[in-house]
């Protein structure tokens, strides 16, 4: 008999794209460890190449998803709609007590809409981040997911402030820390055992790491070509290791260049290999959101090739400097780092490896209360 005492709370967790996987991993581990919960994992299939998906499940020990919705790539509208359409019948069939979503990708928003329309409450992990730039697809996903979620779990105080400013009730906002840093801390020792540097012929501190995939940087061929000019200049002095995202690969193939890029290009790396490569680098240049946080946690200087960040604590407390796409700013900030004057930074509060446990504590407490 399913009395209130022995009934398990059913959590349907959703992940779809590469940056979701390192966030969902510690949450699933924590949920599995608690007798009060049962879980059902949905992979939307937004990312589908082994290097963007399966390799991360293996590296992070994430259980095989209970279902893969195989939505694949398409325009924003079509991709968002397909997840929504395919998640809805699953929610009707599974009837979870909570839908757990992470981050800010299209799958995050779609699953949240589908759940809320069926009266199922949503818990959003990594809530409240705001770049202030509504041209970023992720900003729209963040605003909309937060507006309809019941639990808003934030990584940094700016998230709480943003949500308050948007009129969110205080009892929905929980500053719990950063689940992605739970994953980093749990895996750093394993990553350090890998021989990836030897395989790539790199010396610790003897190279830079570059990642680029934001539509604002890679979808405009002229802007991308200008960015590559300055990055190639850096590569003359400090090898620039560049694992190339599929979106960026497609843009590079459209650039009219006579010669190949003079950077150390690679296919996307797995989680552990990439973590090791970042941890031993002199500097990371990126337009990613998550990497701004990972470099802060590692104490590695980061130059962010964007004009805004939704993660301001990485600048005010961490190792991050916003450099946009202006060559002289990029080069002068890089020079400071090479001269030993890069930011030291400190690790923000609650980025301590226990964020997932705090989240599940709050869910358990509130579900027990019948909230
Ligand atoms: C998505 C997220 C972005 C996140 C990024 C991390 C949204 C709006 N964007 O952007 O927030 O930072 O993931 O990677 O949700 N492709 C492949 N193989 C794959 C996946 C994608 O080749 O496994 C190619 C396809 O050509 C596709 C393109 O990459 O059209 C873009 O993929 P998509 O998921 O639409 O967006 P991302 O740029 O990856």
């Amino acid at each position: 008999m399913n009395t209130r005492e022995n009934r398990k709370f059913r959590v349907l967790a959703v992940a779809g794209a590469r940056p979701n996987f390192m966030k969902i991993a510690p949450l699933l581990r924590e949920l599995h460890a608690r007798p009060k919960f049962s879980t059902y994992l949905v992979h939307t299939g937004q990312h589908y190449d082994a290097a963007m998906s399966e390799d991360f499940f293996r590296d992070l020990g994430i259980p095989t998803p209970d279902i893969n919705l195989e939505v694949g790539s398409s325009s924003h509208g079509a991709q968002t709609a397909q997840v929504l359409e395919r998640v809805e019948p699953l929610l009707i069939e599974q009837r979870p007590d909570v839908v757990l979503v992470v981050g800010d990708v299209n799958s995050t928003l779609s699953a949240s809409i589908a759940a809320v329309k069926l009266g199922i409450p949503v818990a959003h992990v990594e809530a409240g981040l705001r770049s202030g730039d509504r041209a970023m697809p992720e900003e729209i996903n963040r605003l909309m997911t937060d507006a309809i979620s019941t639990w808003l779990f934030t990584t940094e105080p700016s998230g709480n402030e943003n949500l308050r400013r948007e009129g969110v009730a205080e009892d929905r906002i929980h500053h719990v820390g950063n689940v992605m840093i739970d994953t980093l801390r749990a895996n750093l020792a394993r990553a350090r055992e890998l021989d990836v540097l030897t395989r790539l012929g790199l010396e610790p501190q003897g190279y830079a790491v570059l990642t680029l995939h934001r539509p604002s940087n890679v979808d405009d061929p002229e802007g991308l070509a200008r960015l590559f000019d300055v990055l190639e200049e850096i590569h003359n002095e400090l090898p620039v290791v560049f694992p190339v995202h599929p979106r960026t690969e497609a843009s590079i193939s459209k650039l009219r260049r006579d010669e190949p890029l003079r950077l150390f290009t690679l296919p996307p790396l797995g989680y552990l290999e990439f973590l090791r490569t970042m941890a031993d680098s002199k500097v990371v240049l990126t337009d990613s959101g998550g990497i701004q946080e990972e470099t802060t946690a590692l104490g590695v200087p980061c130059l962010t090739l964007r004009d805004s960040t939704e993660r301001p604590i990485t600048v005010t407390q961490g190792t991050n400097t916003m450099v946009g796409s202006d060559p002289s700013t990029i080069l002068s900030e890089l020079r400071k780092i090479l001269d030993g004057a890069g930011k030291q930074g400190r690790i923000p509060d609650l980025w301590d490896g226990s964020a997932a446990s705090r989240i599940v504590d709050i869910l358990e407490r509130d579900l027990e209360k019948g909230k």
Side-chain angles (χ1 to χ4, degrees):
M1 211 180 76
N2 225 0
T3 64
R4 187 154 182 84
E5 284 65 41
N6 66 18
R7 180 180 174 277
K8 283 182 184 262
F9 299 119
R10 294 160 61 80
V11 177
L12 184 140
V14 181
R18 183 170 64 175
N20 290 164
F21 304 139
M22 44 290 234
K23 295 169 193 164
I24 211 77
L27 290 162
L28 289 172
R29 190 162 307 118
E30 192 64 37
L31 287 163
H32 288 155
R34 310 260 185 134
K36 274 278 171 189
F37 286 96
S38 70
T39 59
Y40 185 93
L41 176 59
V42 179
H43 189 327
T44 65
Q46 178 173 343
H47 283 175
Y48 42 86
D49 287 345
M52 300 293 286
S53 177
E54 235 174 273
D55 294 359
F56 284 75
F57 277 69
R58 190 199 50 229
D59 272 4
L60 299 173
I62 307 173
T64 306
D66 292 286
I67 192 166
N68 188 321
L69 302 177
E70 296 179 352
V71 299
S73 302
S74 43
S75 68
H76 283 278
Q79 191 174 58
T80 308
Q82 272 167 30
V83 176
L84 188 47
E85 202 174 3
R86 293 181 196 187
V87 162
E88 186 180 59
L90 195 63
L91 293 175
I92 292 169
E93 176 197 293
Q94 293 293 322
R95 276 282 151 197
D97 297 293
V98 182
V99 168
L100 179 65
V101 299
V102 295
D104 55 15
V105 303
N106 287 343
S107 302
T108 310
L109 172 62
S110 305
S112 308
I113 298 175
V116 170
K117 291 263 183 172
L118 290 169
I120 304 166
V122 172
H124 183 206
V125 174
E126 202 187 82
L129 297 180
R130 300 286 181 269
S131 66
D133 176 2
R134 290 201 178 192
M136 285 178 79
E138 295 80 6
E139 184 76 349
I140 306 302
N141 293 342
R142 293 179 200 118
L143 281 159
M144 295 177 67
T145 304
D146 287 345
I148 58 176
S149 294
T150 297
W151 290 271
L152 296 159
F153 294 111
T154 63
T155 52
E156 58 170 281
S158 77
N160 295 40
E161 289 153 25
N162 293 330
L163 293 168
R164 280 184 202 121
R165 205 175 36 245
E166 289 165 17
V168 175
E170 202 61 39
D171 66 349
R172 286 169 57 202
I173 308 172
H174 309 277
H175 180 207
V176 289
N178 195 322
V179 288
M180 202 181 55
I181 305 305
D182 289 6
T183 297
L184 183 147
R185 292 171 70 107
N187 286 286
L188 189 54
R190 270 171 77 213
R192 287 203 185 279
E193 285 166 15
L194 301 180
D195 63 356
V196 58
L197 297 195
T198 321
R199 178 166 75 78
L200 301 175
L202 301 169
E203 291 290 334
Q205 300 293 308
Y207 60 94
V209 173
L210 167 68
T211 81
L212 271 185
H213 77 285
R214 288 270 151 241
S216 57
N217 276 330
V218 307
D219 288 0
D220 160 38
E222 279 175 27
L224 184 61
R226 274 196 304 275
L227 207 46
F228 280 142
D229 285 344
V230 62
L231 293 165
E232 287 181 325
E233 196 177 325
I234 295 170
H235 185 71
N236 288 334
E237 190 173 349
L238 183 73
V240 175
V241 178
F242 180 27
V244 185
H245 185 281
R247 172 189 282 278
T248 314
E249 178 84 57
S251 300
I252 293 172
S253 67
K254 289 186 207 130
L255 291 178
R256 267 168 292 162
R257 289 176 61 101
D258 299 332
E259 24 176 292
L261 271 183
R262 275 179 288 110
L263 300 173
F264 189 164
T265 57
L266 300 169
L269 291 171
Y271 179 78
L272 292 172
E273 286 204 331
F274 186 67
L275 178 57
R276 173 66 201 275
T277 309
M278 263 195 309
D280 279 333
S281 67
K282 185 84 184 163
V283 54
V284 173
L285 298 115
T286 191
D287 61 7
S288 152
I291 291 173
Q292 297 172 50
E293 296 182 338
E294 289 171 333
T295 45
T296 278
L298 291 167
V300 172
C302 177
L303 299 180
T304 296
L305 303 161
R306 287 171 45 186
D307 297 320
S308 62
T309 182
E310 60 288 338
R311 293 161 159 90
I313 206 164
T314 60
V315 176
T316 54
Q317 294 189 14
T319 56
N320 189 18
T321 306
M322 306 303 296
V323 292
S325 53
D326 171 51
S328 64
T329 313
I330 297 172
L331 290 173
S332 68
E333 290 298 331
L334 179 80
R335 177 58 48 210
K336 286 187 203 162
I337 294 166
L338 297 183
D339 291 345
K343 277 181 158 179
Q344 301 290 310
R346 62 170 281 253
I347 297 182
D349 285 347
L350 305 181
W351 292 20
D352 58 358
S354 301
S357 149
R358 284 189 279 269
I359 289 169
V360 178
D361 281 348
I362 292 168
L363 288 176
E364 189 167 340
R365 180 198 69 196
D366 288 354
L367 290 164
E368 293 276 11
K369 281 195 302 202
K371 187 175 168 180

